[in-house]
């Protein structure tokens, strides 16, 4: 493809809208994931005693494991949501 064709694509209002919407969506999800990820490590650094507490009386399961499991599942669902939205919304726009 020629540079002239690339220029026409870049200047197309539909393409500009696609890039803006996809970028905003990506940055939002990235911010959520990074805040949760680094928030968990901040909790480990500054409140390890909280993470060591048991989830319930008589339980052997600490709060830290519960948060870690939640984050793992949440990150998977975030990835699935991103892929689903990309396939349904952004592929149609492209």
């Amino acid at each position: 493809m020629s540079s002239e064709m690339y220029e026409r694509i870049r200047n197309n209002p539909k393409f500009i809208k696609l890039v803006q919407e996809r970028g905003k969506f990506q940055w939002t999800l990235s911010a959520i994931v990074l805040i949760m990820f680094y928030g968990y490590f901040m909790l480990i650094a500054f409140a390890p005693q909280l993470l060591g507490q048991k989830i319930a009386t008589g339980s052997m399961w600490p709060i830290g494991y519960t948060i870690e499991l939640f984050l793992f599942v949440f990150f998977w669902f975030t990835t699935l949501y991103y892929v689903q939205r990309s396939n349904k919304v952004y592929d149609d726009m492209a």
Side-chain angles (χ1 to χ4, degrees):
M1 289 177 32
S2 67
S3 61
E4 186 177 298
M5 184 178 260
Y6 285 129
E7 199 60 38
R8 272 193 296 143
I9 292 171
R10 277 190 224 117
N11 292 331
N12 187 328
K14 291 178 182 178
F15 180 74
I16 293 169
K17 181 181 177 188
L18 167 66
V19 170
Q20 288 174 344
E21 285 186 20
R22 190 180 61 191
K24 186 166 54 167
F25 181 63
Q26 289 170 338
W27 281 110
T28 302
L29 285 182
S30 296
I32 290 169
V33 167
L34 287 173
I35 288 169
M36 292 181 73
F37 183 77
Y38 286 111
Y40 180 64
F41 281 100
M42 295 299 274
L43 227 92
I44 291 171
F46 295 111
Q49 68 281 2
L50 172 71
L51 297 174
Q53 292 177 358
K54 304 300 179 205
I55 195 82
T57 307
S59 173
M60 295 298 291
W61 193 263
I63 291 174
Y65 286 174
T66 308
I67 294 172
E68 187 176 333
L69 182 62
F70 168 78
L71 288 175
F72 182 76
V73 172
F74 178 79
F75 294 153
W76 270 99
F77 278 114
T78 303
T79 304
L80 289 174
Y81 178 63
Y82 175 78
V83 169
Q84 180 184 20
R85 183 163 173 167
S86 291
N87 289 339
K88 287 185 177 179
V89 176
Y90 301 128
D91 280 356
D92 289 342
M93 290 174 76

